[in-house]
Amino acid sequence: MKQSGFYIACLLSLIFITGCEKDNYPGHKVSPYIAIYDIRNIYKGKEVTLTKENMFGATQLACMVVSDHSGGNLPQGLLFVQDRRRLNRLRGIAISIGDAAANYVPGDSLVITVEGGVLKRVDGMLQITNIPESAIKKISSGNDIPPERVPINKILENPDQYESTLGVIVKGGFDPLPQPGEVLSGDHVLTDGFGELTLHTEAGASFANV
């Protein structure tokens, strides 16, 4: 009986000591990378400066470029990147870096320090601004980007989920059908049988007169 009491006392002492530990995972280190999914959730309707505190200890994005400025049909100065770091959910975001955005092409893998950047909506689009080109490090180029096939109705139902990502609309067509001599320049209604989107092509785009 005395021996059992001794064991119980030792067990209680062990529990007490363990419970007083300030860190249950000694030696652990917070990842420096935050998912775009989490970045987008930081925005609550008004602009916010990104800090290590509101990014849960992270300071960087590890992401893939999906924007291609060579065709002249994207908003100037915006770099579009995406990742699947949170729950394998694809999310994208625009990063305002001026003329340097044209230096990157789809398939470039980047690490971007976003601490100090300002998260806000500009013309309806969520962007990270105040990011210098020196905050961007290219890791590799020519990486494959798996196609994300999306029906139009899903985009219309959850535009925030697909904003700034690279999506593929399968079996899409124009409504009404183009007439002889018509070109891509301007606005055209694109449909896939599930919904309709306006496809916009800038007059100065390299393929505007196709």
Side-chain angles (χ1 to χ4, degrees), residues 79-102:
L79 176 68
F80 293 89
V81 296
Q82 65 182 35
D83 71 16
R84 289 183 178 273
R85 292 186 67 85
R86 171 68 69 185
L87 304 174
N88 199 36
R89 294 181 179 179
L90 182 67
R91 292 294 187 274
I93 199 160
I95 301 178
S96 180
I97 57 171
D99 294 340

Side-chain angles (χ1 to χ4, degrees), residues 7-203:
Y7 288 148
I8 291 172
C10 288
L11 179 60
L12 289 173
S13 297
L14 181 60
I15 292 172
F16 177 77
I17 293 170
T18 304
C20 288
E21 287 285 342
K22 292 183 179 180
D23 191 344
N24 290 330
Y25 303 96
H28 78 286
K29 184 178 181 181
V30 176
S31 172
Y33 306 117
I34 185 171
I36 294 175
Y37 178 96
D38 294 320
I39 284 279
R40 295 188 69 91
N41 284 334
I42 292 173
Y43 183 77
K44 303 299 182 184
K46 60 181 180 180
E47 69 177 59
V48 57
T49 298
L50 297 174
T51 65
K52 187 178 289 188
E53 288 69 31
N54 60 24
M55 291 192 292
F56 317 108
T59 57
Q60 299 174 312
L61 290 178
C63 50
M64 189 74 70
V65 175
V66 293
S67 52
D68 186 351
H69 285 270
S70 64
N73 199 48
L74 285 177
Q76 292 185 350
L78 294 182
L79 176 68
F80 293 89
V81 296
Q82 65 182 35
D83 71 16
R84 289 183 178 273
R85 292 186 67 85
R86 171 68 69 185
L87 304 174
N88 199 36
R89 294 181 179 179
L90 182 67
R91 292 294 187 274
I93 199 160
I95 301 178
S96 180
I97 57 171
D99 294 340
N103 296 335
Y104 303 96
V105 298
D108 284 349
S109 175
L110 307 179
V111 169
I112 306 174
T113 299
V114 294
E115 183 181 18
V118 178
L119 186 65
K120 61 181 179 179
R121 284 203 178 274
V122 180
D123 297 328
M125 184 187 303
L126 191 62
Q127 303 178 17
I128 302 176
T129 64
N130 197 39
I131 300 295
E133 188 180 6
S134 59
I136 302 174
K137 180 181 179 181
K138 183 189 293 187
I139 304 302
S140 62
S141 301
N143 297 284
D144 291 332
I145 305 175
E148 183 75 6
R149 299 180 179 180
V150 186
I152 289 176
N153 64 305
K154 295 297 184 182
I155 298 174
L156 296 176
E157 290 169 5
N158 299 288
D160 188 69
Q161 181 174 326
Y162 297 99
E163 184 182 78
S164 300
T165 65
L166 180 63
V168 177
I169 295 173
V170 179
K171 295 183 179 180
F174 294 109
D175 185 19
L177 293 174
Q179 299 302 307
E182 284 193 81
V183 295
L184 285 173
S185 181
D187 295 334
H188 298 277
V189 176
L190 181 66
T191 180
D192 64 352
F194 296 99
E196 296 180 347
L197 281 177
T198 298
L199 178 69
H200 176 77
T201 303
E202 291 287 333

